[in-house]
Amino acid sequence: MGFFFNFVVCLFSAIGSFLFGSDSGIIGSVVSEQFDLFHVYFHKPGPDIIGAIVSTFAGGCFFGAAATGSLATRIGRKRTIQLGALIAVLGCSLQTGARNVSYLIVGRLIAGFAIGSLSMVVPLYQSEISPPEIRGLLTGLTQFMISMGFLVSNWVGYGCQFLRTDTQWRLALGIQIIPATCLFLGMFILPYSPRWLVEQGRDDEAYAVVQRLHGNTQNKEFVELEFAEMKEQIRYEQQNYSTKISDLWSTKPMLRRTLTGMAIQICTQFTGINVSSYFQPTLYAALGLSGSRILMITGINGALGAVTTIIFIAFILDRVGRKPPLVVGAIGMAISLAVEAAINAKWGGADSHNHAAQTAGVAFIIIFSALFFSTSFGPVSWVYQSEIFPMRVRAIGTAVCTCANWASNVLISQVSPIGMARLGYRFYILFVCTNIANAVIVFFFFPETKGKTLEEMDAVFGDQVIPHALETKQVHNVGTDEKIDEERKSTVSEV
């Protein structure tokens, strides 16, 4: 079936990422002043309560990601995605039926647990079923579907603001149940990760999956060599290494992998993207905008972000690599936020009527998120963290990196309403500085991973122990033990 089947599998599994985007996007609309009936129903919650409603979701995501590392190893990536989808249905249902703030926060905590799980396991699943030359595209679909989630939720929010009953916010929160249900049911017909199948000793099933995902009449040799490399690397790791969490820092190369994976997720949060994502209507209100057009502009921004992301992952990411977009994106975001701070300092405020300044302020918020973030940390962070770990600790390592993302998210989402209220335009300056720091960190400390198979990452990080089949063009490359050699010969005949 080849590329088309591989693309469809990765795209459908990314519905889990769509849920991430839709939940993160819709809450910005729901807590905005345009959803007046939400504020009436919950007795006009202040900035601290709004911060808690938003950040509780991220807290749930942290614990969901933490719990998923070992689970994805035991029951597989596919079943973990399905479990996350079921929990998401429960959490979204509780939010939709909320009777008080506590009820709502519990629903967001449960939904966050599900999204944290999915945000970790979906890109992991995608990376393990993707051929190296298009892994950026296929794993980058995670960010594309996050953008689509924001897009749909922004326009749902725009439409729901005109409803004049509690349906205004209940419908906006409840619509997320539909994609969660589709994800749970649809995953029954999608394949298991072939690398997980090899780890479980189900080699025949694994090879059949590799053929379906990557096979065509022109690349039979590549499929055979990739499967042999995959099987040999995993078998070697099983025989010679443990799978403890302490392995993530047991050697200098492994510590470098772990710190790099955590760093890219922390840097992503400190771009300031979730200030824009969660509180975008508030940013527009600070420019003097009001009424329904705030949510309309939010929807336009979401649409542009989705378009930019798909163009970037389809035509640029796998050609230029991971590092250059990160550096350029960080510098671009720093400049955008510096200009935004200057506009708000000079012409901002709820009473502003400077149309030119408002237009420029909106433009730079969109340039920040829809252009620079969508062509850098947005897609690259999920690709990068999912491809750098060896199979024996890939799920645990990815979980630790995703936890770093959500821990940073909790901090930023909790303090942002207070920071914007007290500091005004000066709050932007914080993220100008962090984006400059991001560019420096990436430039000096991040290795390039473009075009490498997951098994070849050991050479990138300096801990390679066996030759790779795709380099040697041989299907067995380890030792001379007769039993192992016989197993490899058997593998060749199966292939």
Side-chain angles (χ1 to χ4, degrees):
M1 296 184 182
F3 171 77
F4 180 75
F5 179 68
N6 210 156
F7 181 84
V8 169
V9 171
C10 288
L11 183 64
F12 188 87
S13 64
I15 290 177
S17 303
F18 177 92
L19 288 167
F20 172 8
S22 64
D23 198 299
S24 300
I26 200 60
I27 198 64
S29 298
V30 169
V31 302
S32 71
E33 292 301 323
Q34 284 65 43
F35 272 59
D36 54 331
L37 296 180
F38 171 84
H39 290 272
V40 170
Y41 190 90
F42 291 106
H43 310 294
K44 300 187 183 301
D48 54 339
I49 299 299
I50 294 296
I53 292 171
V54 174
S55 64
T56 301
F57 171 79
C61 289
F62 174 88
F63 291 107
T68 302
S70 59
L71 188 65
T73 299
R74 290 200 301 271
I75 68 173
R77 290 44 164 152
K78 173 178 172 174
R79 297 303 184 209
T80 304
I81 291 174
Q82 288 184 295
L83 180 60
L86 275 180
I87 298 173
V89 170
L90 173 61
C92 294
S93 298
L94 290 174
Q95 290 179 70
T96 305
R99 298 296 180 185
N100 52 54
V101 169
S102 299
Y103 203 138
L104 179 63
I105 287 177
V106 169
R108 286 191 58 73
L109 183 66
I110 294 173
F113 187 94
I115 302 305
S117 172
L118 293 170
S119 69
M120 172 262 160
V121 74
V122 168
L124 173 63
Y125 176 74
Q126 291 169 326
S127 70
E128 291 188 348
I129 65 176
S130 302
E133 68 275 9
I134 56 170
R135 191 169 59 245
L137 165 61
L138 298 183
T139 310
L141 289 171
T142 288
Q143 182 61 34
F144 171 69
M145 289 299 279
I146 291 174
S147 300
M148 290 300 296
F150 274 106
L151 170 61
V152 171
S153 65
N154 288 339
W155 286 107
V156 167
Y158 175 75
C160 286
Q161 70 178 316
F162 299 110
L163 300 175
R164 303 315 304 162
T165 67
D166 289 344
T167 306
Q168 180 191 69
W169 58 272
R170 293 191 190 276
L171 176 62
L173 294 172
I175 204 166
Q176 301 166 85
I177 297 171
I178 298 173
T181 303
C182 292
L183 179 63
F184 171 74
L185 296 175
M187 285 301 298
F188 279 109
I189 61 175
L190 267 60
Y192 288 95
S193 160
R195 288 174 168 86
W196 181 79
L197 288 171
V198 169
E199 192 174 49
Q200 304 304 306
R202 296 158 63 176
D203 294 351
D204 291 341
E205 292 178 65
Y207 182 66
V209 171
V210 173
Q211 281 186 310
R212 290 180 69 195
L213 292 169
H214 306 168
N216 58 53
T217 56
Q218 285 78 41
N219 71 343
K220 186 174 185 295
E221 181 184 11
F222 169 81
V223 170
E224 293 175 351
L225 290 172
E226 185 190 36
F227 178 72
E229 178 175 291
M230 182 189 307
K231 181 176 178 180
E232 192 166 56
Q233 182 80 23
I234 292 170
R235 290 284 182 266
Y236 186 87
E237 290 179 8
Q238 288 177 325
Q239 293 168 7
N240 294 277
Y241 295 100
S242 68
T243 57
K244 299 179 294 185
I245 190 171
S246 59
D247 290 347
L248 295 177
W249 57 83
S250 60
T251 65
K252 286 185 177 180
M254 282 303 302
L255 180 61
R256 186 186 182 196
R257 293 180 198 247
T258 304
L259 292 178
T260 304
M262 293 177 65
I264 195 168
Q265 291 293 2
I266 294 170
C267 288
T268 298
Q269 289 300 316
F270 278 91
T271 61
I273 187 58
N274 278 329
V275 179
S276 172
S277 300
Y278 293 150
F279 305 107
Q280 196 172 160
T282 304
L283 303 184
Y284 296 140
L287 291 167
L289 298 173
S290 61
S292 62
R293 62 176 175 162
I294 285 182
L295 296 185
M296 182 178 68
I297 295 171
T298 302
I300 293 171
N301 191 8
L304 292 174
V307 171
T308 305
T309 298
I310 194 63
I311 293 173
F312 173 71
I313 63 175
F315 301 108
I316 300 175
L317 179 55
D318 285 310
R319 288 179 171 84
V320 304
R322 305 343 182 198
K323 286 184 65 173
L326 292 175
V327 174
V328 172
I331 294 172
M333 285 185 282
I335 294 172
S336 299
L337 292 176
V339 174
E340 191 68 33
I343 292 171
N344 276 266
K346 184 71 174 178
W347 297 287
D351 298 327
S352 174
H353 298 289
N354 189 318
H355 180 70
Q358 290 174 342
T359 302
V362 169
F364 276 96
I365 290 173
I366 292 174
I367 289 170
F368 162 79
S369 58
L371 176 59
F372 287 116
F373 181 80
S374 295
T375 57
S376 61
F377 284 88
V380 176
S381 60
W382 301 112
V383 176
Y384 201 85
Q385 74 155 24
S386 301
E387 65 186 4
I388 62 176
F389 290 101
M391 181 63 191
R392 68 183 188 277
V393 291
R394 185 170 298 135
I396 297 173
T398 304
V400 167
C401 297
T402 307
C403 284
N405 177 304
W406 289 112
S408 304
N409 190 310
V410 171
L411 171 65
I412 292 171
S413 58
Q414 181 64 49
V415 305
S416 290
I418 301 170
M420 288 185 292
R422 295 183 180 179
L423 299 178
Y425 76 88
R426 296 176 186 83
F427 196 60
Y428 288 108
I429 298 175
L430 167 66
F431 294 102
V432 173
C433 297
T434 55
N435 274 294
I436 294 172
N438 287 349
V440 172
I441 291 169
V442 170
F443 184 81
F444 286 104
F445 299 107
F446 280 35
E448 181 57 70
T449 58
K450 179 188 75 170
K452 302 292 185 180
T453 67
L454 298 183
E455 288 68 38
E456 290 172 333
M457 291 299 165
D458 55 5
V460 174
F461 285 89
D463 55 352
Q464 181 177 350
V465 291
I466 64 172
H468 300 123
L470 286 170
E471 292 179 349
T472 65
K473 305 302 180 185
Q474 299 176 11
V475 294
H476 58 279
N477 298 276
V478 183
T480 58
D481 183 89
E482 291 184 2
K483 183 177 180 181
I484 297 176
D485 195 50
E486 190 64 32
E487 180 184 347
R488 295 195 193 105
K489 290 179 180 179
S490 175
T491 301
V492 175
S493 64
E494 291 173 8
V495 171

